[in-house]
Amino acid sequence: MLGLALGMHWFVSRTAKAVAWAAAPLATGEAEAYRYERRTYHTAHAEMLWIIALALCGGLLFWGALHWSHGWLWVAGLLLVAAAVALDLWVWERVSASANFLWAQRGLRGEVKQVAIENIRDLSVEENDTAGGFTFRHGRANRSCRLLVGLADKQQVDLPWTDAHTGLDDVEAMANHLRARQSIRGEGQALKQAQDEAGAAARAAAAQPASRDAEMMRELKRLRKNALAPDVPKAAPRK
């Protein structure tokens, strides 16, 4: 019965999160390129243990309903499993990245934070041993990781932690994506600046020709003037 309750919670929760990713993606106006999320049965956080404890209590009620043949215990057990799913979605944390923005959300109904990639000053992948943490997947041998992002105004973006055993590849892939976008944007800005400087230099050269060119222009003007009104000496009078 405990396994049944945990399986019900896992299946319903994962289905609800998959629907949320499809129906309410974090990125708006742009396609999501990379994503990661905090995993309930993998991440060693106290909130995750509360969710699992609710599901296990539902399993105990299932066992009581089966043992004492009380139908209302089945209903109570289902309500506890539903409460575990609701709490799981309430504290769900997820991150995604698009071509120009980084997005993060805490809780399915929480505010979606949007950070422009051009405003990111530095980023790295942070890994940490979760002291005292416990999960059913790894016991106490847990590691957590997250994306660490610093902005141009020296603020830090507080992004979610996730299990390093199963989520590190996703976090590193997102970090590499952000670095690549920064590199492309930097190269584009450098090219635009070089083009602007070259155009300004060309306009300045056209407005102020070299001294030799200016002298040639004056000589051409003088020759043109003489051709139109030649300075020919007057003819001598006949005797």
Side-chain angles (χ1 to χ4, degrees):
M1 291 299 103
L2 294 177
L4 174 63
L6 290 177
M8 290 175 61
H9 164 261
W10 179 86
F11 177 77
V12 176
S13 176
R14 291 307 304 166
T15 302
K17 290 176 181 178
V19 172
W21 274 119
L26 296 183
T28 56
E30 296 183 353
E32 289 183 346
Y34 293 90
R35 63 174 63 163
Y36 80 87
E37 62 182 337
R38 186 170 66 171
R39 300 172 183 266
T40 305
Y41 286 90
H42 300 76
T43 309
H45 284 177
E47 293 174 333
M48 306 296 98
L49 292 179
W50 280 108
I51 295 169
I52 296 171
L54 277 176
L56 289 175
C57 288
L60 288 175
L61 292 180
F62 290 162
W63 175 85
L66 187 64
H67 184 73
W68 290 301
S69 300
H70 292 316
W72 64 271
L73 288 177
W74 288 107
V75 177
L78 288 174
L79 289 176
L80 282 180
V81 173
V85 173
L87 180 59
D88 196 354
L89 295 176
W90 184 261
V91 300
W92 184 35
E93 298 182 357
R94 54 178 178 158
V95 185
S96 67
S98 60
N100 298 298
F101 295 97
L102 176 69
W103 315 77
Q105 184 184 36
R106 294 182 181 273
L108 187 59
R109 304 298 298 175
E111 179 185 0
V112 177
K113 296 181 180 179
Q114 175 184 344
V115 177
I117 294 179
E118 62 183 3
N119 292 333
I120 295 177
R121 175 173 51 89
D122 54 65
L123 59 96
S124 60
V125 176
E126 182 180 9
E127 293 186 61
N128 187 23
D129 288 320
T130 308
F134 176 83
T135 62
F136 285 101
R137 295 298 298 264
H138 309 297
R140 292 190 174 276
N142 295 289
R143 286 188 63 81
S144 297
C145 65
R146 69 169 177 175
L147 188 63
L148 193 63
V149 173
L151 302 181
D153 58 4
K154 298 183 180 180
Q155 292 184 355
Q156 294 287 334
V157 182
D158 187 19
L159 295 176
W161 292 88
T162 190
D163 172 48
H165 293 283
T166 56
L168 181 59
D169 290 341
D170 294 336
V171 177
E172 288 184 338
M174 182 177 293
N176 291 333
H177 165 73
L178 295 177
R179 293 188 186 102
R181 295 301 302 175
Q182 282 184 313
S183 177
I184 292 173
R185 184 177 293 275
E187 292 175 357
Q189 290 177 347
L191 179 60
K192 183 178 183 302
Q193 182 178 0
Q195 291 175 343
D196 293 342
E197 291 176 355
R203 289 191 295 272
Q208 298 178 358
S211 59
R212 184 174 180 181
D213 293 340
E215 184 177 346
M216 292 178 62
M217 291 294 294
R218 287 195 296 269
E219 182 65 18
L220 286 173
K221 288 181 180 179
R222 187 183 66 81
L223 292 173
R224 189 181 296 111
K225 181 179 179 181
N226 290 338
L228 295 176
D231 188 12
V232 179
K234 295 182 180 181
R238 294 181 180 179
K239 295 182 180 180

